[in-house]
């Protein structure tokens, strides 16, 4: 064994992990972490939902045993999580054609989805991601031995999606291409696809028979209404298109370490659903056997108990508004103080961004120098807006302007 172990090379951490490590090692009491994708509330520490605390208390009293869970997480979990994505009145749910399993977070859903996609009889299989991509899509697709391909999406000059290029690529790539899309609060670009393009996207996907994997990790952060963040998915449902959804509850229930997620695969009918479910269960069995029971009970309690669900949705709305307010304040402050540093940027373009992050390409030029001021961001220029508080906003905006002026 020694001979093999010593041959293994150390793998460099990805940009986000690297930045977190540097932040942790920084002894300064001024340090600010704007790199990690964890959502902080008003006071700058990890958001705590009262609804989740109450659910936790209920389930701790209700259940004492912790047996193995059915490997799909059970029918109750499936139905409750499906409703958030497909709607209370979903025809796919009524037709009983969605194969759902509880997964180890949204990442687990992506991992199982990729494993499942390997069962497709595709020679030289490729997966498309929109550019610039979520870095873990890239890592996971590559390590699963798919060819990673890009389609045009975000334009750094427009600070928006370049719809011409994006739609052209969707039209021009091979039929039946597998494409990862984020239906809302796109990480890292912090943008939503505009609803006026939904019809065209849906028609192209229908015509080209593309296989869409929706990765939804920020439902509820778009503008505080969870239904509004899945309108594109619901439009696919209207048109009877089959697709895959990877769902995460890390951010919208603040259940990061509980690893709460689900994978949904829309099938042709109930018979096909049974077949696909059996395949997902075999894949799960090979990896980790069954999902986590505490997480299952927690998510079910929140979604099943009408009072808790209402409280959770209100808390989520509040959090989403808080982040939107901080974003506006942050870019307004940059606009105001930049004169002092002889800068002349238009910061207002970033105020349209949505979700936990803001993506500011010009920050990639100063991500190194910001570290000298104990401010940690991701190399691409993505910042976690919820890490900005009333206590540190002046410090952060001053240092950003200083670093930009020294470039
Ligand atoms: N997908 C996207 C786009 C994300 O941003 C994240 C988390 O940051 C995930 C998936 C993974 O979520 P989880 O923590 O539930 O694995």
């Amino acid at each position: 064994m020694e001979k093999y172990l010593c041959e293994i090379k150390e793998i460099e951490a990805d940009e986000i992990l690297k930045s977190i490590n540097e932040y942790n090692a920084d002894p300064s009491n001024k340090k600010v972490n704007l790199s990690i994708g964890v959502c902080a509330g008003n006071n700058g520490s990890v958001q705590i939902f009262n609804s989740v605390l109450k659910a936790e208390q209920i389930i701790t009293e209700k259940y004492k045993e912790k047996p193995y869970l059915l490997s799909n997480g059970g029918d109750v979990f499936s139905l409750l999580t499906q409703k958030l994505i497909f709607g209370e009145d979903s025809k796919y749910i009524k037709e009983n054609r969605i194969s759902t399993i509880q997964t180890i977070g949204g990442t687990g859903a992506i991992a199982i989805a990729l494993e499942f996609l390997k069962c497709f009889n595709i020679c030289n299989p490729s997966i498309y991601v929109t550019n610039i991509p979520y870095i873990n899509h890239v890592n996971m697709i590559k390590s699963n031995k798919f060819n990673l391909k890009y389609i045009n999406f975000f334009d750094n000059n427009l600070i928006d999606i370049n719809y011409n290029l994006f739609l052209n690529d969707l039209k021009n790539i091979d039929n039946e291409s597998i494409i990862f899309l984020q239906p809302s609060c796109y990480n890292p670009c912090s943008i939503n696809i505009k609803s006026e393009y939904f019809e065209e996207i849906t028609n192209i996907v229908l015509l080209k028979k593309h296989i869409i994997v929706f990765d939804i990790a920020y439902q509820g952060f778009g503008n505080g209404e969870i239904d509004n963040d899945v309108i594109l998915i619901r439009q696919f449902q209207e048109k009877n298109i089959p697709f895959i959804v990877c769902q995460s509850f890390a951010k919208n229930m603040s259940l990061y370490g509980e690893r709460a997620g689900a994978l949904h695969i829309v099938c042709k009918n109930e018979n096909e659903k049974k077949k696909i479910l059996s395949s997902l269960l075999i894949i799960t069995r090979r990896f980790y056997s069954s999902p986590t029971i505490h997480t299952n009970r927690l998510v079910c309690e929140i979604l099943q108990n009408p009072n808790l669900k209402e409280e959770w949705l209100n808390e989520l709305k509040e959090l989403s508004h808080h982040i939107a307010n901080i974003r506006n304040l942050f870019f307004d402050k940059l606009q105001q103080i930049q004169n002092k540093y002889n800068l002349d940027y238009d910061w207002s373009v970033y105020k349209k961004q949505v979700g936990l992050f803001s993506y500011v390409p010009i920050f990639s030029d100063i991500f190194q120098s910001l570290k000298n001021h104990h401010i940690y961001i991701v190399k691409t220029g993505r910042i976690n807006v919820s890490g900005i508080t009333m206590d540190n906003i002046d410090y952060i905006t001053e240092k950003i302007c200083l670093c930009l002026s020294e470039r």
Side-chain angles (χ1 to χ4, degrees):
M1 169 115 156
E2 280 168 12
K3 134 176 167 214
Y4 298 109
L5 290 183
C6 72
E7 279 170 7
I8 292 177
K9 295 194 180 77
E10 189 174 342
I11 299 175
E12 232 192 301
D14 70 31
E15 287 307 327
I16 297 172
L17 291 178
K18 237 195 271 179
S19 171
I20 295 164
N21 291 341
E22 286 168 343
Y23 169 83
N24 287 338
D26 185 339
S28 168
N29 57 7
K30 287 200 184 111
K31 65 181 178 178
V32 185
N33 185 359
L34 301 183
S35 58
I36 191 172
V38 170
C39 192
N42 271 326
N43 61 1
S45 44
V46 180
Q47 170 70 17
I48 295 170
F49 289 113
N50 280 326
S51 48
V52 176
L53 289 183
K54 286 181 192 164
E56 182 104 50
Q57 210 170 2
I58 295 171
I59 63 165
T60 315
E61 276 161 24
K62 198 152 58 168
Y63 306 104
K64 299 297 172 210
E65 292 169 346
K66 293 188 187 278
Y68 284 129
L69 192 56
L70 285 175
S71 39
N72 72 330
D75 292 345
V76 174
F77 178 90
S78 296
L79 182 62
L80 291 167
T81 55
Q82 285 167 3
K83 280 183 175 173
L84 290 180
I85 300 289
F86 299 91
E88 289 287 331
D89 203 29
S90 155
K91 71 171 180 177
Y92 284 171
I93 295 180
K94 282 185 194 143
E95 291 165 2
N96 199 10
R97 53 189 279 205
I98 311 166
S99 262
T100 296
I101 58 165
Q102 183 191 337
T103 54
I104 307 296
T107 310
I110 299 167
I112 301 292
L114 288 171
E115 204 56 39
F116 175 72
L117 287 168
K118 287 183 200 160
C119 309
F120 288 20
N121 192 11
I122 302 175
C123 99
N124 201 20
S126 303
I127 295 186
Y128 286 87
V129 292
T130 41
N131 208 12
I132 59 170
Y134 168 52
I135 192 66
N136 217 22
H137 286 161
V138 170
N139 296 338
M140 294 176 81
I141 289 168
K142 278 190 184 162
S143 69
N144 274 283
K145 308 277 185 276
F146 287 95
N147 299 314
L148 175 74
K149 293 187 176 171
Y150 291 92
I151 48 181
N152 280 295
F153 193 68
F154 194 79
D155 186 324
N156 276 358
N157 296 319
L158 299 174
I159 309 295
D160 206 339
I161 298 164
N162 187 325
Y163 288 98
N164 275 341
L165 294 180
F166 172 50
L167 294 171
N168 268 336
D169 279 0
L170 275 186
K171 278 181 209 151
N172 292 329
I173 56 178
D174 287 347
N175 284 0
E176 300 188 340
S177 290
I178 304 171
I179 308 163
F180 271 61
L181 283 184
Q182 296 178 49
S184 62
C185 307
Y186 187 95
N187 179 7
C189 305
S190 328
I191 209 86
N192 281 353
I193 298 173
K194 288 198 184 97
S195 56
E196 65 214 65
Y197 294 96
F198 287 176
E199 178 86 16
E200 193 169 350
I201 293 168
T202 313
N203 287 337
I204 298 170
V205 169
L206 193 60
L207 189 74
K208 302 274 300 180
K209 296 188 164 52
H210 288 326
I211 300 158
I212 304 296
V213 181
F214 285 111
D215 180 15
I216 177 148
Y218 301 91
Q219 189 176 9
F221 286 89
N223 53 22
E225 295 294 338
I226 53 161
D227 287 327
N228 288 350
D229 285 337
V230 283
I231 294 174
L232 180 58
I233 295 184
R234 305 248 173 109
Q235 208 142 320
F236 272 49
Q237 177 170 236
E238 286 293 303
K239 294 263 167 108
N240 235 10
I241 303 175
F243 54 88
I244 295 173
V245 181
C246 301
Q247 180 182 23
S248 166
F249 295 101
K251 321 278 152 122
N252 64 8
M253 287 189 180
S254 205
L255 289 179
Y256 303 92
E258 293 287 357
R259 314 306 297 125
L263 171 66
H264 310 278
I265 299 183
V266 175
C267 307
K268 201 165 65 196
N269 51 38
E270 194 171 346
N271 266 348
E272 192 175 85
K273 170 205 153 164
K274 282 189 190 141
K275 249 179 12 183
I276 301 307
L277 193 57
S278 69
S279 185
L280 294 177
L281 297 189
I282 291 294
I283 295 172
T284 309
R285 182 94 180 112
R286 285 206 310 258
F287 277 99
Y288 51 84
S289 191
S290 57
T292 51
I293 195 158
H294 183 74
T295 312
N296 179 285
R297 289 169 173 165
L298 201 46
V299 171
C300 288
E301 190 61 41
I302 297 162
L303 296 179
Q304 211 168 20
N305 179 323
N307 293 337
L308 283 187
K309 186 171 177 192
E310 195 188 339
E311 189 174 355
W312 167 60
L313 289 174
N314 285 334
E315 288 181 294
L316 183 56
K317 210 180 282 184
E318 217 172 278
L319 177 63
S320 149
H321 288 153
H322 162 71
I323 297 171
N325 289 340
I326 284 281
R327 184 189 334 272
N328 283 338
L329 204 60
F330 173 69
F331 288 112
D332 283 345
K333 280 218 181 253
L334 284 172
Q335 197 73 43
Q336 284 158 19
I337 64 165
Q338 65 172 352
N339 294 344
K340 204 165 109 187
Y341 296 89
N342 290 325
L343 300 171
D344 186 25
Y345 293 105
D346 176 11
W347 295 107
S348 65
V349 290
Y350 299 101
K351 285 165 68 173
K352 65 177 177 231
Q353 297 190 326
V354 283
L356 180 55
F357 305 110
S358 263
Y359 173 67
V360 187
I362 194 146
F363 286 175
S364 64
D365 291 356
I366 56 168
F367 103 102
Q368 275 296 356
S369 49
L370 280 174
K371 286 183 202 168
N372 299 332
H373 303 285
H374 318 284
I375 298 170
Y376 295 83
I377 68 167
V378 177
K379 195 177 178 180
T380 55
R382 190 198 77 174
I383 57 165
N384 175 346
V385 177
S386 78
I388 303 168
T389 64
M390 296 315 288
D391 291 336
N392 64 22
I393 191 164
D394 290 331
Y395 178 75
I396 297 171
T397 45
E398 287 281 347
K399 296 305 174 202
I400 285 174
C401 287
L402 176 66
C403 290
L404 285 172
S405 70
E406 289 172 347
R407 275 189 316 149

